[in-house]
Amino acid sequence: MANIVEVKVPDIGDFKDVPVIELLVKVGDTVKAEDSLVTLESDKATMDVPSPVSGVVTELKLKIGDKVAEGSLVALIDSAAAGQVAAAPAAAAPAAAPSAQPAAAAPVAAPAAAATVIEVKVPDIGDFKDVPIIELLVKVGDTVKAEDSLMTLESDKATMDIPSPVSGVVTELRVKVGDKVAEGVVLALVRVMQSGIPGDGAGATAVVAAAAPAAAPAAASAAPQAALAAAAVPATGGAAADFRPGDADLISAQPRVAMPTPADRISGRAAHASPSVRRFARELGVDIAKVPGSGPKGRIMQSDVQAWVKGVVSAAAAPAAAPASGSGVGLDLLPWPKIDFSKFGAIDVQPLSRIKKISGANLSRNWVMIPAVTYHEDADITDLEAFRVQVNKENEKAGGAKLTMLAFLIKACVKAMQKYPEFNSSIDGDNLVLKKYFNIGFAADTPNGLMVPVIKNADSKGVFELAKESGELAKQAREGKLKPADMQGACFTISSLGGIGGTYFAPIVNAPEVAILGVNKSAMKPVWDGKAFAPRLILPLSLTADHRVIDGALATRFNVYLAQLLADMRRSML
Ligand code: CAO
């Protein structure tokens, strides 16, 4: 049987007409007790209204833009639908709600008779103590207007901006990010701006000591938007003398920032940001829900909004910047998903290694910029492997070097590149650069990630030398001892996973090269020789090529020739 619970806006202090800025659930959604249902935002604080019970949302009584006050009906929740009896009565304020009393606090006091520099203090913020400063929105020397936010505090339950009570210049910041503050702590000094001249305190003789919102000094009782940082302010330039401690025009409307702002809803449905950042995003036309947050608990900082806008602008500009790129529209990609994985189970977060970060950026560019196609071929290496094993056996007895399949692959690739020179080229604007040297890179698996050492002038080296050099370079790569020069100048890359296994794969071209050969583990396969199936050792090859330079016919010719070479290396002498 249904057990409908009415959810109402709890005691939010003197706030009235607070707009609903986000609906965090829809009808039919299942919610847990304390899950946020809607977000309200006053001038100074963002507040979420949580569900008092677990259940299913059967009706939403609000829409975005509606203005609410204490007692406004938010939603109906069927607590029985969650198989749970209502845990709290309708309209119950969350258990954690602080019960701050509206106070006629005077958070701002003039420090001296000169009265041109005022102290900005933490106003009455209810029962909150040790509230951390999470963002400084100004720096010393900044000019601020009355009501501009100076910094943001964030408790477990709410985010609060501290506005400047006056127009002026920030002369001192007494706190830094991470400091914990409580009511009365001096946060900053602001030199009062008179007649539009920052810091011109001439004539401003009065002590500014009590709170009044700039916009509504005469409507104290009816204008609760002064919010958290009720502050003293001259109503107009030069009128500071009109305000004195105890003036009736003071206001300290106190939001009881009672509602939790669960950080874990950032990932899915709603954004976690201070009012000032929300306002900033709105001014730029940015949907804040799309901006990934880099602050504590995934909070969206002003810099995140800026970075997001920058990303969108440069993505839009990219096609124009690329010559001969037509009228493409750029990569209008979704932002990377920001997910709190710990919601689903235990996790361990490790920073990406430097190599992974660098190679990741390169691979991403190559993946999106190269029209790459992968072509597969099988090479019969029965005889080559038998030869390699036999030579290695003989050499072992004589204490000589070991031949590797990689060395033969390098030798065969060089020969195929000589026959098909497009494989040894790079695109440079409208030109194709054809190289006369043969430097071969090979992917080496290292504890820190993938590295690609380069064997220089491979055409002039024999297979023993190639085996020795690749072995040494791979060892240096694993030990992190490669020098930058060891990884530069490659014409073509081989990625050999044969020692590990696999059948085929599609390697990513290593720009500005135009092709890469992937190699997997050879395996005995039955091959039809015209009369019968014969067991042959087959090596799977996967050649990825840049289609702007190498078309399918050329790629397949290269692959066929490479397979012929590996089947019978005598062909390389022809
Ligand atoms: N088929 C069957 N066996 C193979 C083989 C193949 N294609 N290639 C190598 N093997 C065998 C070797 O013969 C060797 O066996 P023995 O010890 O009995 O001789 C064993 O596998 C191990 O070889 P290896 O891979 O360590 O040595 P290598 O010289 O063949 O390769 C290197 C060197 C650096 C290419 C390799 O160690 C490596 O790091 N490979 C990974 C490359 C990689 O990560 N590519 C992915 C890039 S894209 O993500």
Side-chain angles (χ1 to χ4, degrees), residues 363 381 385 388-389 392 402-407 409 442-446 449-453 467 470-471 473-475 477-478 493-502 505-508 516 518-523 537-540:
L363 290 165
I381 58 163
E385 180 61 6
R388 191 184 75 89
V389 170
N392 280 345
K402 196 176 163 186
L403 274 183
T404 62
M405 186 51 68
L406 181 64
L409 284 163
F442 65 98
D445 185 27
T446 81
L450 180 67
M451 301 193 81
V452 184
S470 60
L473 285 168
K475 184 167 177 284
R478 288 182 190 122
T493 296
I494 299 174
S495 176
S496 173
L497 292 168
I500 303 170
F505 71 115
I508 298 174
I516 180 169
V519 184
N520 287 99
K521 193 176 180 69
S522 58
L537 188 63
I538 302 299
L539 181 70

Side-chain angles (χ1 to χ4, degrees), residues 32-33 116 153 298 392 406 509 516 542:
K32 293 199 298 294
T116 56
L153 319 183
N392 280 345
L406 181 64
V509 174
I516 180 169
S542 307

Side-chain angles (χ1 to χ4, degrees), residues 451-453 472-474 476-477 479-484 486-487:
M451 301 193 81
V452 184
E472 283 167 1
L473 285 168
Q476 285 174 31
E479 291 168 356
K481 289 185 182 157
L482 282 182
K483 293 182 278 301
D486 296 330
M487 294 178 280

Side-chain angles (χ1 to χ4, degrees), residues 40-41 86 101 157 161 166 197 202 332 337 353 412 420 460 490 503 545:
L40 317 180
E41 186 174 80
Q101 293 307 309
K157 302 286 175 284
D161 271 11
V166 293
I197 306 164
D332 188 14
S353 72
Y420 299 107
S460 65
T503 51

Side-chain angles (χ1 to χ4, degrees), residues 191-552:
R191 194 164 66 225
V192 179
M193 186 200 292
Q194 298 291 325
S195 315
I197 306 164
D200 175 7
T205 52
V207 173
V208 182
S221 57
Q225 78 268 31
L228 286 166
V233 63
T236 57
D242 295 341
F243 291 85
R244 291 198 154 68
D247 268 359
D249 287 343
L250 306 183
I251 188 167
S252 180
Q254 187 60 52
R256 300 177 191 180
V257 282
M259 291 75 99
T261 309
D264 64 3
R265 68 179 175 76
I266 300 155
S267 55
R269 296 171 293 172
H272 180 39
S274 71
S276 59
V277 172
R278 286 170 185 279
R279 199 176 312 123
F280 179 65
R282 268 202 301 273
E283 280 165 11
L284 295 176
V286 171
D287 176 359
I288 197 147
K290 288 187 178 164
V291 180
S294 66
K297 299 187 209 158
R299 137 176 298 281
I300 300 162
M301 318 296 274
Q302 184 156 332
S303 54
D304 294 326
V305 178
Q306 282 163 332
W308 195 86
V309 170
K310 212 166 154 189
V312 170
V313 170
S314 46
S325 62
S327 57
V329 288
L331 287 172
D332 188 14
L333 301 176
L334 291 172
W336 196 255
K338 196 129 180 79
I339 293 172
D340 178 5
F341 298 101
S342 64
K343 281 198 306 193
F344 308 109
I347 58 166
D348 179 23
V349 179
Q350 293 173 356
L352 282 175
S353 72
R354 202 178 135 268
I355 291 172
K356 281 216 162 97
K357 278 199 248 176
I358 294 170
S359 62
N362 279 287
L363 290 165
S364 300
R365 180 205 52 211
N366 299 348
W367 179 267
V368 297
M369 288 187 76
I370 299 174
V373 180
T374 302
Y375 309 84
H376 301 291
E377 182 62 278
D378 287 340
D380 182 338
I381 58 163
T382 316
D383 297 340
L384 180 61
E385 180 61 6
F387 174 70
R388 191 184 75 89
V389 170
Q390 189 195 327
V391 172
N392 280 345
K393 225 181 255 170
E394 291 163 11
N395 271 13
E396 203 179 354
K397 282 184 202 144
K402 196 176 163 186
L403 274 183
T404 62
M405 186 51 68
L406 181 64
F408 285 109
L409 284 163
I410 293 169
K411 200 78 200 154
C413 284
V414 168
K415 188 72 190 164
M417 287 162 73
Q418 286 167 336
K419 183 163 178 157
Y420 299 107
E422 289 90 341
F423 281 81
N424 193 10
S425 73
S426 288
I427 291 180
D428 181 15
D430 288 339
N431 295 326
L432 191 65
V433 179
L434 291 147
K435 297 155 205 166
K436 309 281 184 199
Y437 55 88
F438 295 85
N439 297 343
I440 307 296
F442 65 98
D445 185 27
T446 81
N448 286 324
L450 180 67
M451 301 193 81
V452 184
V454 180
I455 298 183
K456 307 280 164 39
N457 304 313
D459 56 322
S460 65
K461 292 174 181 168
V463 278
F464 278 113
E465 204 178 346
L466 292 171
K468 186 164 175 279
E469 195 174 331
S470 60
E472 283 167 1
L473 285 168
K475 184 167 177 284
Q476 285 174 31
R478 288 182 190 122
E479 291 168 356
K481 289 185 182 157
L482 282 182
K483 293 182 278 301
D486 296 330
M487 294 178 280
Q488 290 167 358
C491 308
F492 180 93
T493 296
I494 299 174
S495 176
S496 173
L497 292 168
I500 303 170
T503 51
Y504 302 92
F505 71 115
I508 298 174
V509 174
N510 194 15
E513 297 155 39
V514 291
I516 180 169
L517 181 73
V519 184
N520 287 99
K521 193 176 180 69
S522 58
M524 273 299 185
K525 299 255 171 91
V527 176
W528 185 252
D529 66 5
K531 291 188 191 124
F533 282 105
R536 305 296 296 177
L537 188 63
I538 302 299
L539 181 70
L541 304 175
S542 307
L543 176 79
T544 301
D546 184 336
H547 214 296
R548 293 172 298 179
V549 179
I550 296 160
D551 61 24

Side-chain angles (χ1 to χ4, degrees), residues 136-267:
L136 293 177
L137 306 168
V138 292
K139 53 188 186 324
V140 170
D142 280 359
T143 300
V144 292
K145 292 199 298 296
E147 294 299 303
D148 276 359
S149 297
L150 301 177
M151 60 194 69
T152 307
L153 319 183
E154 185 176 70
S155 74
D156 285 350
K157 302 286 175 284
T159 300
M160 305 161 248
D161 271 11
I162 301 291
S164 174
V166 293
S167 296
V169 173
V170 179
T171 57
E172 200 175 327
L173 281 170
R174 292 267 177 96
V175 287
K176 56 186 188 319
V177 170
D179 283 357
K180 299 198 169 160
V181 296
E183 181 184 348
V185 170
V186 177
L187 301 168
L189 301 185
V190 178
R191 194 164 66 225
V192 179
M193 186 200 292
Q194 298 291 325
S195 315
I197 306 164
D200 175 7
T205 52
V207 173
V208 182
S221 57
Q225 78 268 31
L228 286 166
V233 63
T236 57
D242 295 341
F243 291 85
R244 291 198 154 68
D247 268 359
D249 287 343
L250 306 183
I251 188 167
S252 180
Q254 187 60 52
R256 300 177 191 180
V257 282
M259 291 75 99
T261 309
D264 64 3
R265 68 179 175 76
I266 300 155
S267 55

